[in-house]
Amino acid sequence: MKAEENEIGKLLMQFGISPSILGYSYLKTAISIAIKDTTCWRMLTKSLYPMVAAQHGTTPSRAERAMRHAIETAYYKGNKELLNSIILVQNVNKNKATVGEFIAGVAEHYRIWGDFNER
């Protein structure tokens, strides 16, 4: 679990998401949950956000907003090439992933490759 969280943290920082952003720790938790449960990201508001919020002592809406902010930061200031190589954005008119797309993309990448250094 610790090694997995370290790998997720390294990737988030490579994306351009700083640990000082509140959404960073929420995303680490959400991605860790999604790696183990392949269906949880499909029910974000009823399942994943409440689990993340409970672990961090906040509300599901605040957890979602913080994760969305962290993802927006990565797309506007971070490594877009790396983001686009791992995350599939479904809506071509959008220039960034949704929270669900982001979490699912990172979790699936981890499940396939085992760590984020191999690609």
Side-chain angles (χ1 to χ4, degrees), residues 1-19 24-25 27-29 31-32 35 74 79 82-83 86 102 106 109-110 114-119:
M1 177 74 165
K2 188 69 171 165
E4 177 184 294
E5 287 185 13
N6 289 340
E7 288 293 321
I8 294 166
K10 280 192 247 178
L11 183 64
L12 293 176
M13 288 189 289
Q14 289 174 350
F15 283 155
I17 300 173
S18 169
Y24 170 90
S25 59
L27 281 169
K28 274 179 58 173
T29 301
I31 293 165
S32 292
I35 287 170
N79 187 341
L82 179 61
L83 282 161
I86 294 177
F102 186 91
V106 173
H109 185 82
Y110 188 85
D115 76 44
F116 297 111
N117 295 319
E118 300 174 19
R119 282 188 280 158

Side-chain angles (χ1 to χ4, degrees), residues 49-60:
Y49 295 159
M51 285 191 280
V52 171
Q55 287 189 31
H56 292 275
T58 190
T59 65

Side-chain angles (χ1 to χ4, degrees), residues 76-107:
Y76 293 120
K77 298 179 182 178
N79 187 341
K80 289 183 188 122
E81 185 176 315
L82 179 61
L83 282 161
N84 292 329
S85 74
I86 294 177
I87 312 296
L88 175 64
V89 177
Q90 296 293 319
N91 185 342
V92 294
N93 295 323
K94 299 265 183 175
N95 60 352
K96 65 183 183 325
T98 64
V99 175
E101 290 169 341
F102 186 91
I103 292 167
V106 173

